[in-house]
Amino acid sequence: MKIGNEKLESMFKVAGIEKKVLHKALLQMGTKQLKTKQMRDAWSEDNPTKNYCYVVSEMVFYYLAPPGSKPYKLPNIPGDDGLHRFLKWPDGTIVDLTVDQFPNYEDVNYENGKVCYFMQTGVKGPSKRARLLAELCDLKLPKTEENKFWD
């Protein structure tokens, strides 16, 4: 069974972004920003979050998550060949804005998640893909000492 709209909308509310804004941005990104042919072939306009969990989680982590939030990876979701990514707020709230890509929400067992930070591109901060997604969502980095290079 797919995740209920109410549950999904609550995660978007906690994150501080509208689902339609994120989905519109992912539609604009299309397959061009997906790394492998397999990922591109699985993506569709009907399922714009498919294979974008890394980029979405990275963007939310840098642009919207409260300090103390942690990124997680989750292996072995039936029907998914890769690792699924999501965030956990400091109070334990799960924020997974791409969970709607899975046909069965019950297959997503967050208890099996392991903390896993994002790959870096030589300096700390969001990747080009995460910055592009944030730009398409009209988000700006919070002004802190840690992200002063990403103005």
Side-chain angles (χ1 to χ4, degrees):
M1 167 165 70
K2 270 205 113 39
I3 186 169
N5 198 43
E6 188 174 309
K7 174 77 173 166
L8 185 60
E9 288 292 343
S10 73
M11 284 194 255
F12 274 90
K13 186 174 181 177
V14 166
I17 188 169
E18 291 182 38
K19 184 170 81 170
K20 67 181 179 181
V21 169
L22 178 66
H23 284 205
K24 180 180 178 187
L26 292 172
L27 288 168
Q28 288 178 271
M29 289 175 71
T31 59
K32 187 176 179 182
Q33 300 301 321
L34 294 170
K35 295 286 188 183
T36 68
K37 181 180 182 332
Q38 183 179 8
M39 293 171 110
R40 290 187 292 273
D41 288 347
W43 185 89
S44 73
E45 290 184 3
D46 293 333
N47 193 357
T49 60
K50 181 69 176 172
N51 294 319
Y52 269 112
C53 59
Y54 184 97
V55 178
V56 170
S57 292
E58 183 184 16
M59 183 208 58
V60 172
F61 180 78
Y62 283 108
Y63 289 81
L64 299 168
S69 297
K70 293 188 177 165
Y72 282 76
K73 66 180 180 180
L74 185 61
N76 305 324
I77 296 176
D80 190 55
D81 295 330
L83 296 171
H84 182 59
R85 304 295 294 247
F86 66 95
L87 301 171
K88 193 180 282 190
W89 266 211
D91 67 1
T93 301
I94 301 290
V95 175
D96 185 353
L97 304 187
T98 63
V99 71
D100 61 339
Q101 70 181 293
F102 300 112
N104 189 359
Y105 176 61
E106 294 168 0
D107 288 339
V108 184
N109 185 352
Y110 295 110
E111 296 298 317
N112 292 334
K114 305 270 188 240
V115 173
C116 183
Y117 285 86
F118 304 102
M119 296 186 305
Q120 297 298 320
T121 56
V123 295
K124 293 188 177 204
S127 67
K128 287 180 184 177
R129 293 186 308 156
R131 287 182 292 172
L132 173 60
L133 181 57
E135 182 180 315
L136 292 171
C137 291
D138 199 29
L139 296 174
K140 306 284 186 243
L141 276 173
K143 299 290 183 194
T144 67
E145 186 63 24
E146 290 82 32
N147 62 31
K148 65 183 176 186
F149 302 108
W150 298 97
D151 289 335

